[in-house]
Amino acid sequence: MSFANFTTNNFRITSWVRKYFLSDGAPLNRLREDVQIIFKRDPAARNLFDVMTSYPGLHALLFHRINHCLWNIKLKWLARLVSTFVRIFTGIEIHPGAKIGRRFFIDHGMGVVIGETAEIGNDVSLFHAVTLGGISSSKEKRHPTIGNNVMIGAGAKVLGPIIIGDNVKIGANAVVLNDAPGDSTVVGIPGRIILQKVLTKEKSKQACVVDICPKLNTVSNNNIERKHCSRC
């Protein structure tokens, strides 16, 4: 082997190590973040061994990271096969095509379903029996887009190609069919906004949203009647 070839191969190995083990988005750093967020959000987490061996949400997420790579390089059958075994093993079904951000946390996890075109931001938490599903047979975008720092309670269903803004909280067993603006709380069947933070130049205050026009599919300032609650 010539010195030039040795140098080239050494550079490739160094680049590979830097990409997969040292960069900010490297798998090992992602794994570290995924474990750390469990300790941060779950007071029942005792130690690293406990988390690595007995948290199905973490297992499902780790396999999804692999399956998503397989899906992107056109090994779709293999990705679906692995995801099927993961569903049997963990009770959590995540389609390999779903896009999931960093520090994603699934608590308990049994019955969670995440569809193919779902997109999930960073620092999102899901509880058991949550569905991010579709309401159309179209092959286009048909699953929800979830913003950053969103919490979705147990049994909630978020359906259709809707957008859930940043810092939204969705209550347990809610059925959300419309967009939800950032910094809001959604509860009920169908989902309705009961609390939204309104930011002004002078100060931040809270407003209670008491009525949403059922004729429109999106939430905007024009079709929501707001009244300040007694706490404001």
Side-chain angles (χ1 to χ4, degrees):
M1 179 184 294
S2 67
F3 178 76
N5 290 337
F6 176 80
T7 303
T8 301
N9 291 337
N10 185 52
F11 174 78
R12 290 175 179 174
I13 294 174
T14 303
S15 300
W16 183 84
V17 170
R18 185 181 297 110
K19 177 180 178 180
Y20 287 98
F21 293 94
L22 300 179
S23 67
D24 182 55
L28 287 183
N29 285 334
R30 289 288 185 92
L31 175 60
R32 185 184 302 111
E33 289 181 347
D34 294 335
V35 171
Q36 288 174 344
I37 204 64
I38 291 176
F39 284 107
K40 181 178 180 180
R41 298 181 186 173
D42 187 4
R46 297 181 300 169
N47 53 61
L48 180 61
F49 182 79
D50 180 34
V51 168
M52 294 297 294
T53 57
S54 62
Y55 274 69
L58 177 62
H59 302 154
L61 179 60
L62 294 180
F63 276 103
H64 172 72
R65 305 281 194 208
I66 298 172
N67 289 338
H68 189 62
C69 292
L70 294 175
W71 185 266
N72 288 336
I73 61 175
K74 307 304 180 182
L75 296 176
K76 296 186 177 183
W77 176 84
L78 181 59
R80 288 302 303 270
L81 180 65
V82 174
S83 68
T84 298
F85 281 105
V86 173
R87 179 183 62 181
I88 296 172
F89 179 64
T90 65
I92 300 170
E93 180 176 353
I94 306 177
H95 193 284
K99 299 178 181 179
I100 298 179
R102 306 175 75 157
R103 298 175 294 277
F104 180 57
F105 177 48
I106 302 176
D107 198 3
H108 300 292
M110 180 60 69
V112 167
V113 177
I114 300 176
E116 176 185 1
T117 60
E119 299 178 43
I120 301 175
N122 300 325
D123 302 296
V124 173
S125 295
L126 303 186
F127 289 85
H128 55 280
V130 166
T131 298
L132 304 182
I135 54 176
S136 169
S137 59
S138 170
K139 291 187 177 296
E140 298 177 351
K141 171 72 172 174
R142 61 190 184 278
H143 297 96
T145 298
I146 310 298
N148 299 322
N149 196 35
V150 173
M151 191 280 290
I152 305 179
K157 316 300 179 191
V158 186
L159 306 176
I162 61 176
I163 297 176
I164 306 299
D166 295 344
N167 307 309
V168 170
K169 292 180 174 59
I170 298 176
N173 295 315
V175 178
V176 184
L177 303 174
N178 299 322
D179 294 350
D183 301 292
S184 61
T185 300
V186 183
V187 300
I189 304 175
R192 58 192 180 89
I193 300 172
I194 61 168
L195 189 66
Q196 181 180 1
K197 293 181 180 178
V198 180
L199 300 179
T200 63
K201 294 182 179 180
E202 298 81 11
K203 61 180 181 179
S204 173
K205 58 184 178 181
Q206 291 182 333
C208 290
V209 180
V210 297
D211 188 25
I212 300 178
C213 178
K215 297 181 180 180
L216 298 179
N217 293 323
T218 59
V219 176
S220 67
N221 291 332
N222 295 329
N223 59 25
I224 294 180
E225 179 185 352
R226 290 192 177 90
K227 292 182 179 180
H228 294 296
C229 62
S230 59
R231 293 174 296 175
C232 296

